[in-house]
Amino acid sequence: MRREKRERQGKILTALSSAPSLRVAELAQKLNVSTETIRRDLDELTQAGVLNRTYGGAVRAMNTEPGSAFQGRSLPAHQKLAKATVEQIADARILLIGSGITAVHVALEIAARLRDIMVVTHSFSVAAALGSNTTIKVMMIPGFYHAGEASTTGGHAIVFLQSLYADYVILGPSGLTKDGPNDALPEIAAINTAMLARASKSILIADQGKFNQLFATRFANWQQVNMLVTDGQPPDELHQSMAQHRVQLILA
């Protein structure tokens, strides 16, 4: 049992090296344990000084150097999805990008491969990942700071988005069902919905572990989605719903 716990906590720290924050519900599903087990793990890791607990999850310890999230070990699946996504947006001039682990990997890939574009985001981690490319203009969406996501949320953010236009919006949902994409945090879901309304084309990025996963808030239906970039064939019911609404499937 001790060995299993050490391995599980090691996986949590590895994930934290590639993301600004972690959510209890998502970790529990990925590691196939209860949310209570994850909370105990996070409490122990907090006591060890390697992370800080937040409501619903955890963030890197405050003494972590800025930018270290991008110097740690990357998750191969997220890198693969990010590369496949950036291949679809070569003609972009203005991008909207959401928050989360996958969004950060997309931002890193954009910084490496694109230039002379504008990216609008509510994620501080996405903005930091883009910072290495000085040809990219980054616009931060105002709002209330959400520590767990290192992002802005709330009414100010939504009102600000109403005046914008983008060629593409890129979002990483918590889960995907036949009814559409969803997110574990209603605050983030509200921003995702507002972003979707301001872009000509919408791209969702999700690994196959998110298929048929249902979280608190659905932020769109499949009719609002143009493309899904993923690493596996969706289950039949989900695939049929996507096909019915002509969602393009990109397998990384």
Side-chain angles (χ1 to χ4, degrees):
M1 184 65 69
R2 287 184 178 179
R3 180 180 177 183
E4 290 180 4
K5 181 163 73 171
R6 285 198 303 270
E7 290 178 349
R8 187 175 62 247
Q9 291 185 356
K11 291 178 180 178
I12 291 173
L13 293 176
T14 297
L16 196 59
S17 74
S18 299
S21 64
L22 300 171
R23 302 178 190 175
V24 169
E26 290 186 353
L27 281 171
Q29 288 193 341
K30 286 182 179 297
L31 299 178
N32 197 29
V33 295
S34 68
T35 55
E36 289 75 15
T37 296
I38 292 297
R39 289 191 181 96
R40 286 194 294 269
D41 285 338
L42 296 181
D43 287 340
E44 290 181 12
L45 292 170
T46 297
Q47 290 175 2
V50 294
L51 56 75
N52 291 326
R53 287 284 272 117
T54 65
Y55 180 77
V59 297
R60 291 187 300 275
M62 293 301 291
N63 61 359
T64 300
E65 294 181 5
S68 64
F70 314 120
Q71 298 166 5
R73 288 174 289 176
S74 293
L75 302 177
H78 291 294
Q79 282 186 315
K80 187 187 299 184
L81 291 172
K83 288 180 180 179
T85 300
V86 174
E87 289 173 358
Q88 308 301 318
I89 59 172
D91 61 335
R93 297 173 299 113
I94 303 173
L95 294 172
L96 276 167
I97 302 181
S99 60
I101 297 173
T102 311
V104 172
H105 281 278
V106 169
L108 288 168
E109 193 68 19
I110 288 172
R113 297 176 58 180
L114 301 183
R115 57 180 294 115
D116 300 321
I117 63 172
M118 176 181 285
V119 177
V120 184
T121 184
H122 69 132
S123 167
F124 287 86
S125 299
V126 166
L130 293 165
S132 62
N133 188 331
T134 58
T135 75
I136 297 176
K137 294 181 179 180
V138 181
M139 180 183 291
M140 290 298 304
I141 298 170
F144 291 104
Y145 183 69
H146 190 293
E149 283 291 293
S151 301
T152 54
T153 61
H156 290 86
I158 292 172
V159 170
F160 180 81
L161 281 165
Q162 291 173 356
S163 66
L164 290 177
Y165 166 85
D167 301 302
Y168 295 91
V169 59
I170 301 171
L171 301 172
S174 298
L176 298 171
T177 72
K178 64 180 180 64
D179 296 319
N182 57 74
D183 199 277
L185 296 174
E187 314 94 297
I188 300 299
I191 300 299
N192 289 348
T193 298
M195 284 186 169
L196 278 165
R198 305 311 305 166
S200 289
K201 295 181 181 179
S202 56
I203 302 176
L204 299 182
I205 316 169
D207 62 75
Q208 57 189 307
K210 296 184 178 181
F211 294 160
N212 291 336
Q213 297 299 318
L214 181 62
F215 287 90
T217 311
R218 188 186 73 181
F219 59 83
N221 56 50
W222 286 114
Q223 191 172 0
Q224 298 169 272
V225 178
N226 296 108
M227 185 183 304
L228 171 65
V229 180
T230 186
D231 57 358
Q233 192 71 24
D236 288 345
E237 192 174 28
L238 174 57
H239 196 191
Q240 289 171 8
S241 184
M242 290 171 54
Q244 179 183 350
H245 294 96
R246 300 181 180 179
V247 178
Q248 184 179 0
L249 179 65
I250 303 294
L251 293 176

